[in-house]
Amino acid sequence: MFDIAWSEMVLIGAVALVVIGPKDLPKALRTVGQMVGRVRRMAAEFQGQFNEAMREAELADLKKQVDDIGGSVSNALNSDFKPIDSIKDFEPAKPEADKPDEAALKQAEASLASLPPPEPLPPVEIEAPRPRPRRTRKAAAEPAAAPVTAEPEPAKPARKRSVKAAAAEAAKPVRRRKTVKGEENSA
């Protein structure tokens, strides 16, 4: 829209700082931002109203075209419409056509009889499925076998603290925390 480079923006900012002053500059920038927002909203509203007017004009033109086409079609149908004088009765299918030809049927049976019989299929053996062994639950009366455990490994000896660390821990003050009831506990 505006062709302003960064160098020009810096120059405008420096002039505004000198003219307005550093104390009132934030208020002035806020006011300028609000005015720019108002201008943008007004421009968007104008553009929306313009687009709506264009749509309405296009719809009016489209409606006029549809009415013209509909009128010409209805005029053409009314002037050129010629109904069918009578509906022709179609003759039902002859029942003789449904019966097969006896000579052709005898010939097909004779050709099937002259064919050799099909070879017998080899026998198929199907094995019965093997029954799965059922799981049984142990009776509650039987005592459970004690689990076999290996001897536990001996714990590692604690590391020795250095003399400085032990002295530093002893010198730390005891912190007291307040509980919910207001009692003090040492941490």
Side-chain angles (χ1 to χ4, degrees), residues 42-59:
M42 287 174 35
E45 185 179 333
F46 174 74
Q47 186 177 9
Q49 289 177 351
F50 183 75
N51 288 340
E52 186 177 339
M54 291 296 291
R55 269 189 254 119
E56 288 177 4
E58 288 175 3
L59 287 176

Side-chain angles (χ1 to χ4, degrees), residues 160-174:
K160 294 182 180 179
R161 294 187 172 188
S162 65
V163 176
K164 290 181 183 178
E169 189 171 313
K172 283 186 183 176
V174 176

Side-chain angles (χ1 to χ4, degrees), residues 1-154:
M1 191 166 151
F2 298 111
D3 195 19
I4 300 175
W6 283 104
S7 60
E8 295 170 352
M9 292 292 288
V10 170
L11 181 64
I12 291 171
V15 170
L17 184 63
V18 172
V19 172
I20 298 173
K23 185 177 179 182
D24 295 330
L25 188 61
K27 291 179 185 177
L29 290 176
R30 187 176 309 117
T31 304
V32 168
Q34 289 174 351
M35 289 183 359
V36 167
R38 286 182 192 149
V39 168
R40 284 186 178 179
R41 280 192 297 273
M42 287 174 35
E45 185 179 333
F46 174 74
Q47 186 177 9
Q49 289 177 351
F50 183 75
N51 288 340
E52 186 177 339
M54 291 296 291
R55 269 189 254 119
E56 288 177 4
E58 288 175 3
L59 287 176
D61 290 343
L62 185 61
K63 184 178 178 184
K64 184 179 176 185
Q65 288 176 356
V66 168
D67 289 341
D68 291 342
I69 292 172
S72 65
V73 168
S74 65
N75 288 338
L77 286 178
N78 288 337
S79 63
D80 296 338
F81 183 67
K82 295 178 183 175
I84 299 174
D85 295 332
S86 63
I87 298 175
K88 295 181 180 179
D89 293 333
F90 293 100
E91 295 179 15
K94 296 180 181 178
E96 298 170 0
D98 292 338
K99 294 181 181 177
D101 187 18
E102 302 248 350
L105 185 61
K106 287 183 180 179
Q107 184 182 5
E109 286 177 356
S111 64
L112 282 175
S114 65
L115 292 175
E119 296 179 16
L121 296 174
V124 177
E125 294 180 19
I126 300 175
E127 293 182 18
R130 296 181 186 170
R132 292 185 180 176
R134 292 188 177 189
R135 294 184 182 179
T136 58
R137 295 187 180 195
K138 294 181 181 180
E142 293 180 27
V148 178
T149 58
E151 291 187 24
E153 295 182 19

